[in-house]
Amino acid sequence: MDITAFPLFWRWTQPSYSVLPADALETLCPLETELVDLLCASAPKTLGPRTIKHHATENTDETRRWLASLPVPVSRVVIAWGRDTALSLPWDIFVTYWSDFCYPSSDDVDVFVEGGPVVLRWHHDETFEYDADAL
């Protein structure tokens, strides 16, 4: 699927929401529904016992620094909003523009290591959970 056909494309191209730089937008790769369905089916209902929580309600930059500090050992991740909506993108793009991918009140998002488990989960109540045991 071309990024312009992605259901959430408007989030990153409309000035009333956010306009990502062209070089960042070019790194977003929509995934086929079959792959997304498999990933979502593999996601646990709850993360592991050593889950670290971060409340993102106060400061976007503070959350960006917290995300950047996580030991995510890959260059790309997959973010999934549901069984038919997911992107592969560079971890650093997600970290930089996280609030354009994770909307409060409406989004629940799983972040997978590309080809691996869920390592991060965003809840619509503006909380991130990081599974310290996932990797």
Side-chain angles (χ1 to χ4, degrees):
M1 167 191 317
D2 181 278
I3 188 64
T4 60
F6 191 71
L8 302 176
F9 183 65
W10 54 269
R11 288 185 174 193
W12 313 303
T13 58
Q14 291 186 11
S16 56
Y17 294 94
S18 181
V19 177
L20 292 185
D23 60 335
L25 199 56
E26 290 171 1
T27 68
L28 308 182
C29 300
L31 299 181
E32 296 297 323
T33 301
E34 297 80 23
L35 178 57
V36 178
D37 195 39
L38 288 172
L39 280 173
C40 289
S42 74
K45 290 194 186 308
T46 60
L47 298 183
R50 290 190 343 136
T51 297
I52 300 164
K53 292 186 178 188
H54 174 81
H55 297 284
T57 57
E58 309 217 359
N59 185 309
T60 303
D61 289 331
E62 180 183 315
T63 297
R64 188 175 296 115
R65 286 188 294 276
W66 179 79
L67 288 167
S69 76
L70 297 176
V72 175
V74 295
S75 61
R76 291 188 76 84
V77 294
V78 170
I79 58 174
W81 290 265
R83 291 183 174 261
D84 60 353
T85 310
L87 293 172
S88 169
L89 72 160
W91 171 244
D92 64 324
I93 295 295
F94 178 77
V95 168
T96 301
Y97 302 104
W98 72 268
S99 63
D100 297 320
F101 297 104
C102 301
Y103 279 22
S105 301
S106 65
D107 289 347
D108 290 311
V109 178
D110 281 338
V111 180
F112 297 81
V113 172
E114 196 166 61
V118 170
V119 293
L120 190 65
R121 185 166 276 160
W122 166 260
H123 296 280
H124 63 270
D125 67 355
E126 300 183 61
T127 303
F128 274 110
E129 291 181 334
Y130 172 72
D131 187 346
D133 293 324
L135 301 174

